[in-house]
Amino acid sequence: LHFENFIKIWEGTILPRAFLNTFIVATAGAVINVFFASLAAFAFARLRFPGRNALFLFVLATMMIPPGLMVVPLFSMLKGVPFAGPNGLLDTYLGLILPFAVTGFGIFLLRQYLISIPRELDEQATIDGCNKFQIYWKIILPLCKPALSLVGLFSFLSHWNEYLWHLTVARSEEMFTLQIALARFQNQYN
């Protein structure tokens, strides 16, 4: 083992920046996914509104669409975002994070977990004067820590391992993620 080779790679390539970009994208994507998926799951599991079941079936149907099939429409949408410059949200952190920030899998998993929590807790909180958001924030979220951590972990790993979307959106070396930088580094001298 020659550790000076690792130091040369770390100092002479874009890998440190790519590692930082990947960490930012994966962490932000996981946090956003956990928050919005938990809100949607709370609505699907606890609130009564017309079309709830049909909307949930639509969310489940989105899980059947392969992510590679969504690249071209999402690219067109991000390029055409108004007030974001000539390239829209391409080559930005928002462009890397937002399209896959909330997943149907996270909503489904959290909804199934929320169904197992007794509704009597909601009724007791309502009697104590809590509104719906307070029930969600103070009662439901603390009880959902295992499911929230699982959704966060899966989301972090999915953002960390994403290659095709990041390759499509990241245009400059400053926005490359680790997977793109490693692929370029592997083929650099071939």
Side-chain angles (χ1 to χ4, degrees):
L1 283 176
H2 296 282
F3 291 105
E4 58 271 6
N5 294 334
F6 292 100
I7 295 170
K8 282 182 189 177
I9 289 172
W10 197 254
E11 291 175 350
T13 62
I14 60 169
L15 287 179
R17 175 67 185 198
F19 186 82
L20 176 67
N21 289 343
T22 306
F23 183 76
I24 290 170
V25 168
T27 304
V31 169
I32 291 169
N33 189 14
V34 166
F35 180 68
F36 285 118
S38 66
L39 281 173
F42 178 77
F44 285 129
R46 299 294 193 184
L47 304 180
R48 305 266 186 236
F49 56 91
R52 179 182 70 162
N53 293 333
L55 191 58
F56 183 67
L57 286 176
F58 179 74
V59 169
L60 288 179
T62 63
M63 291 172 52
M64 296 178 210
I65 300 171
L69 191 64
M70 299 298 296
V71 169
V72 173
L74 287 173
F75 180 84
S76 299
M77 287 171 49
L78 285 182
K79 186 162 177 59
V81 171
F83 308 114
N87 288 332
L89 291 180
L90 299 179
D91 208 28
T92 63
Y93 285 119
L94 286 176
L96 292 170
I97 296 168
L98 288 181
F100 297 103
V102 181
T103 60
F105 175 73
I107 295 171
F108 171 74
L109 186 72
L110 288 172
R111 178 190 174 267
Q112 295 307 107
Y113 192 85
L114 284 174
I115 288 175
S116 69
I117 296 175
R119 286 188 176 270
E120 287 80 16
L121 294 174
D122 297 359
E123 295 167 4
Q124 291 172 354
T126 304
I127 291 171
D128 287 340
C130 290
N131 60 24
K132 295 292 184 191
F133 186 76
Q134 289 173 331
I135 292 171
Y136 160 76
W137 193 256
K138 294 181 180 180
I139 308 293
I140 298 300
L141 277 188
L143 294 173
C144 288
K145 285 180 186 174
L148 292 173
S149 61
L150 184 65
V151 170
L153 180 66
F154 281 162
S155 179
F156 183 87
L157 289 175
S158 124
H159 281 281
W160 186 275
N161 292 325
E162 180 63 40
Y163 179 73
L164 180 61
W165 179 249
H166 294 172
L167 182 65
T168 306
V169 173
R171 300 290 184 183
S172 63
E173 286 187 349
E174 290 81 28
M175 292 306 297
F176 281 174
T177 57
L178 197 56
Q179 288 70 26
I180 300 169
L182 286 174
R184 297 254 171 136
F185 178 73
Q186 184 179 10
N187 297 326
Q188 186 174 6
Y189 298 108
N190 291 345

